[in-house]
Amino acid sequence: MDTYLQFIILGLGLGAAYIALGNGLVLVYRATGIINFAQGAMAMWGAYVYAKLEIDGSLVLPVGTVPLGEPPSMPVALLIALLTAVVMGLAAHYLVFRPVRNAPALAQVVVSVALMLTIQALVVIRFGPNNIPVDTVVPNGSFGLFGTTVSSREPIMVAIMIVLSLLVWAYLRFTRAGMATRASAENERGAILKGFSPDRLAAIAMVAASAIGTTGVLLAASLTGLNPSNYTLLVVPALAVLLVARMESVGVVVVASVVFGAFQSVVNLLVTKAWWPTWAQSGVDQVIPFVVVIVILLLFGRRLPSRGSLQNVPLPDVNIPRIRPLPAAIVTAVAVVALVATHDIYRFGMTYSIILMLVALSYVVITGYLGQISLAQTAFAGAAGFTLSKVTTGWGMPFVPAILLCSLVAAFLGMAVALPAFRIRGAQLAIVTIAASLAIERFVFNNYSITPPSGNPIADPSLFGLNLAVRKGAELSRLEFSLTVLVVAALFVVAFVRIASGDTGRAFLAVRANERAAASVGIDVRLTKLIGFGMSAFIAGMAGCLIGYSAGQLSAESFSVFVGLQILAVAYLGGITSFGGAAVAGVIGPLGIVYVVMHQLFDLGDYYALISGIALILTAILNPVGIAGATRLQVGWVVRRIGKQARPEPAARVEGKAFSDVH
């Protein structure tokens, strides 16, 4: 019992971080209606600034470094870190979130994900990818509790965060600005008529959220050190806390965070017990947020509060695709020539672009056509890829049956994740899918009893005696494999066009536009969502199989949450509502041909993620239809102009001139 009590107390340190991030999420949501997936990354930046000041006295800025000589005292370093958090909050509000306050939920989710990726990439560039220590701001000590000596740091951390939570509660409850923030969440127009500026209220909330989040991450990082990936994704359990609090209760945020942190700590103790199953030792603490999210949304999804806004901006338009033989033949011929003309790494980049196009196409199906925001596509791809390793090396299954079976596994997993979509959509569904993706990554892909750290080998593909392996001897990227990938992708594109232009595609668009209206005309909304999730996961699963064959063996890094978010970024950047957008995403995606060329010429390294994140923010704000959509609009404008110039003068106008001349 003494050990359990000690682990409960240790879990309070993690609970303090959850309190901070949960309060930040509540503040931002109440003020803007946006669920800020970048909350953890924003808080992490200030903590890194503090750590670097304490290490060598350097004030690291996004661009440049100011050497301060000797490391400053702890209060001074803490003050500077909090000031950087204030600046971060203001910049995030005015440059990122303010332009999309009245945008669709998809644009808001995408822009917050883009901000997350941008800050995470910037942290890696400026501070490095490795774990760095953080000096504690809370004195070390211990005290007796129920006859057991426990650490005093963690309870002090929670006490600090409770005080800050009381300040947040008092601000929302008793100040005019706080009450206006609560009122604008229900009726933004009414707040404006009362003389309040929702924009100013949102800026205050964003600054407070950033400062409180930085404080919480600073406290927690003194126990574990700072890591860019872990603290960026700390927002996922904080999102679970947000849902438990029904997106509004500061008190529930505090209680849920403390319970959550303590429970996760105890689970980490239990997995070390001899009676705990070996296969469930890795990542089980990350399954807890997913289970909590599912339970809360299934029980209360329809009763979670929504924000009143001044307008509802529709999603980008969808052009129904058509199969055009001549353009399709030209594109295919160009792709074949490009694959034949390139070699080694450049051919691999071309091949990987085609595979990435399939992953992006799965986003087009589920998000562009069905309107469901899924952040779990790479988890589906990874499930198919790791299954492929088992069936090819363990069962000796041939190429075609193997990829079909593994893609079906991904499809069934996608339909299972789709079940919460029966009750929710928008940003809440994004929370479910990112929690599912993180749980699958940590519990399955990083589970050494299921996926050994040495990698998961995949048998080389062959068809009718023809070796389709990506490598053979000194040849690193064989043409046979590249052409196979092209054929598979072409078949999927044709199938997508046929489905999207048929009754199923129209049902997808009807559900995207208005679920109640779709149901009123006889469309089974639940079945349509199941089909959409299954279809998109099947496409992602096929891409996962091809990724496996291209690598020869798989590891968890191939299908991490960050990889999925990066592909979502380029899919939205290319154009989330069209096959053309998926093709653009494949070309500019990570490890695609543009990435390979730029890396060979300029050695971008971590700057690729930074550039793609900034480009995605600008696209979501300035050009929601993406690159392909903008190109289509420009081509349409040119065609209309040419047609107008070629068209003869209208008859009515000619007759009017003739009548005038006669008289």
Side-chain angles (χ1 to χ4, degrees), residues 482-495:
S482 298
L483 293 177
T484 301
V485 171
L486 180 61
V487 170
V488 172
L491 293 175
F492 270 81
V493 169
V494 171

Side-chain angles (χ1 to χ4, degrees), residues 363-599:
Y363 280 111
V364 171
V365 171
I366 194 63
T367 302
Y369 273 75
L370 193 57
Q372 308 299 304
I373 305 176
S374 171
L375 305 180
Q377 299 305 105
T378 51
F380 305 147
F386 283 109
T387 304
L388 183 70
S389 173
K390 305 297 183 183
V391 301
T392 57
T393 59
W395 302 353
M397 186 173 290
F399 171 58
V400 174
I403 59 176
L404 291 177
L405 174 63
C406 296
S407 298
L408 285 174
V409 170
F412 283 118
L413 182 60
M415 288 188 286
V417 174
L419 295 179
F422 292 167
R423 296 175 60 86
I424 58 173
R425 61 182 300 170
Q428 294 174 9
L429 183 59
I431 294 175
V432 172
T433 52
I434 195 173
S437 182
L438 184 61
I440 293 171
E441 177 191 338
R442 300 288 173 85
F443 187 68
V444 179
F445 300 163
N446 283 324
N447 192 334
Y448 292 160
S449 64
I450 301 175
T451 57
S454 58
N456 295 262
I458 296 175
D460 291 337
S462 62
L463 186 64
F464 303 123
L466 179 64
N467 184 5
L468 303 178
V470 66
R471 297 176 183 84
K472 184 179 180 181
E475 193 174 4
L476 299 179
S477 184
R478 300 177 66 237
L479 181 61
E480 289 85 349
F481 176 76
S482 298
L483 293 177
T484 301
V485 171
L486 180 61
V487 170
V488 172
L491 293 175
F492 270 81
V493 169
V494 171
F496 164 75
V497 172
R498 295 295 299 271
I499 293 173
S501 60
D503 293 340
T504 302
R506 294 186 181 90
F508 285 175
L509 294 177
V511 171
R512 182 186 99 142
N514 191 312
E515 292 183 13
R516 291 183 178 179
S520 68
V521 296
I523 296 175
D524 190 329
V525 174
R526 292 190 173 187
L527 179 61
T528 301
K529 288 185 177 181
L530 273 180
I531 293 173
F533 269 90
M535 179 179 167
S536 70
F538 186 87
I539 297 172
M542 183 60 66
C545 293
L546 296 177
I547 290 173
Y549 280 125
S550 71
Q553 67 175 18
L554 289 178
S555 62
E557 288 74 18
S558 303
F559 305 103
S560 68
V561 173
F562 286 113
V563 171
L565 295 179
Q566 286 179 343
I567 297 177
L568 170 64
V570 294
Y572 194 90
L573 184 60
I576 198 70
T577 61
S578 68
F579 156 71
V584 172
V587 171
I588 64 177
L591 298 182
I593 184 60
V594 169
Y595 176 91
V596 169
V597 172
M598 297 297 289
H599 184 73

